[in-house]
């Protein structure tokens, strides 16, 4: 490999203090290896913490932004890549990383883990417990489990009682 | 709602016969409601089965294709939307659906479930067991769990023994 | 061809009345042929006019939206495809059309003509005079012509007088 | 501005020797200013020449690749951003650049100029004559000018003689 390794660090925008501390340390260690840090670029959670850690340790930081200007980039992102593509930029995060390290996060992070595995990228989960992720959405009623196509239709009818008026 | 409901049916390209049968029935029931079926458009697995079911029942079928021509579309897709964007089209699948029904699949399907929940789209899992998804990737060595930033760095060094030459 | 032809109608959001009238007639004629109309989906200019023409003549209308919800779709769009990708959806407009008809518009429309020609899509310009497009941007000072790499650098320095502080 | 300026250099994959020479010099001058060069990343034409010029002068080079691996990146691209999105990456090129310099190229380059102007990015044309761009496509019969909606329909019927069978 004649380019520096690009390590993608994924993780949530709203995370516990311990997760931020780990992300900061991870960014710092990546920079000390001479590797490049790539993340989602925003001024929040794991993105902000890992960029600070890498930048303050003298490393290069790349942020792949969902928005259509660089204004939303964290101050520790030296190279903001402005996609204007919302969550579709998650694919770019993954494809551009030689290896993905996922810190705890929500469904955005999980989509990146899934895409990374789909693309056969080496993926490390740092204290990330996937199994518990879906419970909150079930509790909110956004996610439901059904056992048959008929039950799926009934659930859709319950969610959209007027759905058949558009026929 | 003055437009027909758009139901996104997600699911794997390689699935068991029972999954295909369920997807076919689901497509058929969606069409009989006067709803529009939207899926990933390819000639495989849940996409092909759900499109057949909907089309043969007289419904309208939309396929959001990852490729850059319509040639890869299933014969039962009446409206191929050609994105040329690979997995980034998964976001469009989700954003364009009023409700998402996920049949069993792999990591592509999981990324769509995650994006749907992130966007607060009503999401139904039809016989889909998420918890078991990650075991195969662990067995293959693509997915690893680590407990500290230091351990993450060690794992990356093990995967890319020459990673520091690019410094 | 065993699918209905998809005709992409491109054009500006702010256009003269005559352009709207032509776009309406074009949409109507497309529908009367049994073809599908595809456009950028927004409630403005050529998009709105061509969708009205096609829908009122009983045709099917597809709108590829730049936003991340279907709320911005014109009322005459029956199938809103929600990309959340801003101008990147222009590529999808072009790739999904069997043939592109460009009505007068601005730089968004011109980007679609350019992408259509790049992809070797048959492209018709309906009363569209490309040559005059760039004059307004020159007058505004956004577009400048330079004759050498050195002159390019000088112009950039004039636009960003503090550009070298970030070194 | 507390980040280095990012200068996007656009231009064709197949260009005359003089265009390559200019692109090389431009890349070199950008690097000497301490600015970052961003381009389309491929191993061809203006992309390759401008990356070489910048890299050999000690500058940082970013390539926004259309493909889904970094393998297609030019050897002088230090940071390959892998989009897997084909021409949709042209939007990212433009949005990520503080200023765009367009060298001669084809329709891909023209789409980038159009998108840059649409986004009100300062844009410099380096020896680029837009007016002559469309003649070749007219000669090939891919691009046609029509004067009325009816004429557009007639042209489409001429291109797709079997287009009405899908009704």
């Amino acid at each position: 490999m004649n380019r520096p390794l690009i390590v993608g660090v994924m993780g949530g925008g709203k995370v516990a203090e311990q997760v931020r501390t780990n992300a900061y340390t991870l960014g710092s260690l990546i920079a000390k290896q001479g590797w490049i840090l790539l993340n989602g670029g925003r001024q929040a959670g794991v993105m902000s913490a890992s960029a600070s850690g890498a930048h303050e340790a003298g490393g290069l930081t790349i942020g792949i932004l969902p928005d259509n200007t660089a204004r939303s980039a964290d101050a520790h992102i030296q190279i903001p890549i402005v996609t204007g593509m919302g969550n579709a930029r998650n694919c770019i995060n993954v494809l551009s990383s030689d290896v993905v390290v996922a810190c705890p996060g929500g469904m955005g992070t999980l989509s990146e883990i899934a895409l990374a595995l789909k693309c056969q990228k080496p993926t490390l989960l740092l204290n990330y417990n996937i199994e518990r992720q879906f419970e909150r959405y079930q509790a909110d009623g956004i996610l439901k489990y059904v056992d048959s196509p008929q039950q799926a239709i009934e659930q859709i009818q319950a969610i959209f009682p007027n759905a058949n008026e558009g026929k």
Side-chain angles (χ1 to χ4, degrees), chain A:
Chain A
M1 181 174 304
N2 49 16
R3 291 189 191 97
L5 197 72
I6 298 180
V7 181
V9 175
M10 309 301 151
K14 291 180 192 170
V15 294
E17 191 50 37
Q18 179 57 38
V19 174
R20 284 186 62 88
T21 304
N22 269 344
Y24 183 93
T25 304
L26 180 61
S28 178
L29 292 172
I30 287 168
K32 283 169 187 162
Q33 294 290 333
W35 301 338
I36 295 172
L37 175 89
L38 182 149
N39 69 26
R42 291 196 300 115
Q43 204 168 347
V46 167
M47 293 173 272
S48 187
S50 60
S52 305
H55 190 213
E56 291 175 2
L60 191 59
T61 54
I62 304 171
I64 311 288
L65 292 163
D67 310 297
N68 60 9
T69 85
R71 258 168 269 143
S72 59
D74 189 82
H76 293 283
I77 291 294
Q78 286 150 286
I79 302 178
I81 301 296
V82 182
T83 71
M85 288 186 182
N87 293 319
R89 72 86 149 80
N90 293 6
C91 289
I92 303 177
N93 294 356
V94 163
L95 288 172
S96 300
S97 299
D98 293 305
V99 52
V100 170
V101 183
C103 302
M107 286 294 143
T109 304
L110 183 55
S111 76
E112 291 166 319
I113 295 168
L115 291 166
L117 294 175
K118 180 155 200 220
C119 302
Q120 301 283 318
K121 289 273 174 187
T123 302
L124 304 175
L125 302 191
L126 177 50
N127 299 318
Y128 190 95
N129 184 342
I130 286 172
E131 282 70 19
R132 305 291 305 271
Q133 289 292 308
F134 298 95
E135 292 171 11
R136 180 164 65 85
Y137 292 92
Q138 269 188 280
D140 289 353
I142 295 168
L143 179 66
K144 286 180 208 296
Y145 290 78
V146 293
D147 293 326
S148 69
Q150 289 76 9
Q151 224 188 325
I153 299 296
E154 285 161 24
Q155 285 292 340
I156 297 173
Q157 287 172 326
I159 300 166
F160 298 96
N162 305 318
N164 289 20
E165 292 175 12
K167 279 209 245 199

